[in-house]
């Protein structure tokens, strides 16, 4: 066993070292070779060392090099070396994070890391929370707490009685709501089309002045960090209006919530702490391995009422925090391990620096693209930028050519009717040199597409 684990670690270390020079998207023939991993179910055992060798030799070349510094797709970080190392150790521990009795260490690391996170993200001290797979599940879990609370206010026990015959709940979202929030609403029985959509401004911010009159059980869903522009909904005004009407405010803050951790960006998140529940990712801007998201709820009892098994939901909160009483899952991996390791290793200033640095790199991209004559479509306030290379077809061709070039990887989006390339700088591995190398490649490719050879 020692030899197997040592070889796997060596292969992993070589893989990480190879990322600096690699084509960011896998080459098509590497993806084609994945067929060799398949075939019929093996009749009997194989040598574990051969299994790992096959996985590395065929699998590693077919990965996206998102662990390197030149991946700018979606809002994807890498994993800080300390968090990858912590994850290896946690894998060896093989802990079940469900209950204190299953794993005192898994439970304790969550109890330590959660208040750290709440402090760092400027959320209310004493809030409760759970460690889930990502922001989608964090949205689901926070909205389940909201569903519990707004229906309990009108005397309906939704966990016991379900939604059939329940008083209707009004759910309000911005026109720019993230698909994951709609998915969470679908899973909760709220329906993704039953929502009231509030118009947004040119940066995708919900217009507080366009909020409808609020009455009865109501959940207002706002965003900290629009996935395209990085813009924040005006939380102070929306929370004040919602709370005056007894409504619950949930914040989708998958990456944007981390602005609060950087003194130069915290103003963007003004008022976000006035809400009632928040979702965020650790696997995006905190740069921990997948999968890792966190839900935070101001009143821990509301979260536990929605998530704990029937027998535990209405017990008084005690000093013993059973992890599975705050998440949809019962058995699960010890997700607090890497979050603890990241926060312990970076500290307050390290997280602030990571956020600020990546925001500055986004600005550097924007300036380089604008200087070259391309149009940046958003105000670059955070780590997200949108660039157009002309009409939709030209922009799509540039995106495909940038991905095929392999120096870096950026995805496409449609922003308020305009096709754009989206650059998201979220990786702790990205350096200024990575930005400059990527910018040079994007400009070279874009000029080539705009003026095809032979014209
Ligand atoms: C990424 C993202 C999500 C979904 O997060 P997952 O971790 O993929 O589940 C939700 N909302 C926003 C704004 C995001 O950027």
């Amino acid at each position: 066993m020692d030899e197997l684990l040592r070889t796997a670690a060596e292969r992993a270390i070589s893989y990480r070292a190879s990322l600096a020079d690699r084509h960011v998207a896998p080459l098509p023939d590497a993806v084609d070779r994945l067929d060799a991993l398949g075939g019929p179910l093996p009749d009997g055992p194989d040598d574990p060392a051969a299994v790992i060798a096959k996985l590395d030799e065929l699998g590693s070349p077919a990965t996206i090099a998102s662990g390197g510094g030149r991946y700018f797709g979606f809002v994807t970080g890498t994993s800080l070396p300390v968090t990858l190392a912590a994850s290896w150790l946690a894998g060896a521990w093989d802990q079940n994070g469900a209950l204190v009795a299953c794993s005192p260490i898994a439970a304790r690391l969550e109890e330590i890391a959660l208040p750290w996170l709440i402090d760092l993200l400027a959320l209310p001290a004493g809030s409760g929370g759970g460690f889930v797979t990502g922001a989608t599940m964090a949205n689901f879990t926070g909205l389940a707490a909201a569903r519990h609370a707004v229906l309990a206010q009108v005397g309906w026990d939704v966990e016991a009685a379900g939604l059939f015959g329940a008083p209707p709940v009004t759910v309000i979202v911005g026109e720019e709501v993230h698909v994951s929030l709609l998915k969470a609403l679908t899973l909760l029985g709220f329906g993704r089309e039953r929502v009231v959509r509030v118009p947004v401004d040119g940066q995708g911010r919900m217009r507080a002045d366009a909020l409808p009159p609020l009455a009865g059980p109501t959940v207002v869903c706002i965003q900290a960090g629009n996935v395209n522009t990085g813009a924040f909904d005006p939380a102070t005004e929306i929370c004040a209006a919602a709370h005056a009407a007894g409504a619950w405010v949930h914040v989708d803050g998958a990456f944007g919530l981390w602005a609060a951790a950087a003194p130069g960006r915290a103003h963007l998140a003004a008022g976000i702490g006035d809400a009632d529940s928040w979702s965020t990712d650790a696997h995006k801007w905190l740069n921990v391995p997948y999968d890792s998201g966190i839900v935070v709820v101001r009143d821990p009892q509301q979260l536990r009422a929605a998530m704990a098994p029937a027998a535990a939901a209405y017990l008084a909160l005690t000093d013993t925090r059973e992890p599975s009483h705050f998440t949809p899952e019962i058995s699960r991996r010890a997700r607090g391990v890497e979050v603890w390791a990241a926060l312990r290793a970076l500290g307050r200033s390290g997280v602030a620096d990571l956020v600020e640095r990546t925001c500055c790199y986004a600005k550097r991209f924007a300036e380089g693209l604008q200087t070259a004559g391309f149009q940046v479509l958003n105000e670059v306030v955070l780590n997200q930028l949108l660039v157009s290379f002309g009409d939709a077809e030209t922009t799509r061709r540039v995106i495909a050519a940038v991905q095929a070039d392999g120096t870096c990887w950026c995805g496409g989006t449609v922003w308020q009717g305009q096709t754009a390339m989206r650059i998201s700088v979220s990786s702790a591995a990205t350096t200024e040199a990575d930005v400059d190398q990527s910018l040079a490649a994007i400009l070279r490719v874009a000029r080539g597409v705009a003026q095809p050879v032979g014209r």
Side-chain angles (χ1 to χ4, degrees):
M1 181 176 79
D2 290 8
E3 194 44 38
L4 181 70
L5 297 181
R6 207 164 283 124
T7 322
E10 274 159 17
R11 286 180 180 277
I13 293 164
S14 306
Y15 171 77
R16 291 292 275 217
S18 75
L19 291 175
D21 309 310
R22 235 198 69 170
H23 203 273
V24 176
L27 296 169
D29 63 319
V31 178
D32 290 345
R33 280 198 302 274
L34 291 178
D35 289 345
L37 292 169
L41 172 69
D43 281 331
D46 195 357
D47 171 23
V51 172
I52 294 302
K54 206 177 194 92
L55 190 61
D56 184 28
E57 282 151 22
L58 291 165
S60 293
T63 56
I64 284 269
S66 51
R70 294 188 308 280
Y71 183 80
F72 307 105
F74 304 92
V75 192
T76 302
T78 178
S79 45
L80 291 159
V82 69
T83 64
L84 177 59
S87 172
W88 286 356
L89 189 56
W93 286 350
D94 189 35
Q95 299 292 283
N96 184 343
L99 297 167
V100 175
C102 298
S103 177
I105 178 63
R108 187 64 68 85
L109 288 174
E110 290 188 4
E111 278 169 33
I112 295 168
L114 186 63
W116 284 358
L117 269 168
I118 287 170
D119 177 1
L120 195 60
L121 302 178
L123 301 178
S127 296
F131 290 72
V132 295
T133 51
T136 304
M137 277 315 283
N139 279 330
F140 171 86
T141 309
L143 289 168
R147 186 180 68 170
H148 169 83
V150 299
L151 284 171
Q153 264 173 27
V154 290
W156 187 268
D157 179 350
V158 69
E159 284 73 33
L163 280 175
F164 297 101
V169 176
T170 305
V171 179
I172 295 174
V173 302
E175 202 54 71
E176 276 287 336
V177 60
H178 193 273
V179 288
S180 89
L181 196 122
L182 295 176
K183 179 167 173 170
L185 293 173
T186 310
L187 296 173
L188 287 161
F190 282 139
R192 62 176 168 259
E193 286 172 14
R194 237 189 110 254
V195 295
V196 178
R197 286 176 174 264
V198 179
V200 296
D201 69 11
Q203 298 300 313
R205 290 177 290 236
M206 185 190 278
R207 279 177 39 207
D209 65 319
L211 215 54
L214 307 176
T218 303
V219 181
V220 182
C221 305
I222 64 173
Q223 293 196 110
N226 177 288
V227 75
N228 282 312
T229 64
F232 288 66
D233 289 344
T236 307
E237 292 94 315
I238 293 171
C239 289
H243 289 157
W248 178 287
V249 181
H250 172 78
V251 179
D252 178 358
F255 64 96
L257 223 48
W258 295 87
R265 309 282 160 178
H267 64 278
L268 295 168
I272 289 291
D274 297 348
D276 302 285
S277 57
W278 303 265
S279 84
T280 196
D281 268 318
H283 60 218
K284 286 180 175 168
W285 229 345
L286 187 60
N287 282 256
V288 309
Y290 295 98
D291 43 28
S292 188
I294 299 119
V295 60
V296 177
V297 178
R298 179 186 290 274
D299 178 354
Q301 183 66 48
Q302 309 288 355
L303 174 59
R304 206 183 58 152
M307 290 295 140
Y314 297 100
L315 296 179
L317 279 175
T318 63
D319 287 345
T320 308
R321 176 188 178 278
E322 293 294 358
S324 58
H325 293 181
F326 296 87
T327 58
E329 302 90 344
I330 295 184
S331 296
R332 64 177 167 87
R333 72 185 194 90
R335 263 187 209 105
V337 174
E338 302 96 351
V339 173
W340 175 87
L343 296 178
R344 183 85 221 180
L346 292 172
R348 198 184 291 278
S349 68
V351 176
D353 178 62
L354 169 60
V355 170
E356 187 57 37
R357 186 171 80 234
T358 40
C359 290
C360 289
Y361 291 158
K363 195 84 185 163
R364 194 176 176 87
F365 266 119
E367 285 164 4
L369 290 159
Q370 277 166 329
T371 304
F374 297 111
Q375 192 194 357
V376 172
L377 303 181
N378 65 312
E379 292 166 14
V380 182
V381 292
L382 205 65
N383 62 333
Q384 306 289 109
L385 75 109
L386 303 171
V387 54
S388 161
F389 296 96
D391 60 21
E393 181 50 31
T394 306
T395 299
R396 274 195 292 269
R397 278 168 46 217
V398 172
I399 295 167
V402 165
Q403 293 175 0
D405 169 75
T407 307
C408 64
W409 201 98
C410 307
T413 188
V414 177
W415 171 246
Q416 298 191 342
Q418 252 187 302
T419 298
M421 185 170 89
R422 184 174 64 197
I423 303 179
S424 169
V425 193
S426 316
S427 171
T430 300
T431 62
E432 195 170 284
D434 285 320
V435 174
D436 292 347
Q437 189 186 343
S438 302
L439 187 56
I442 293 167
L443 295 179
R444 171 170 44 75
V445 166
R447 290 184 181 121
V449 169
Q451 297 156 311
V453 184
R455 188 176 278 182

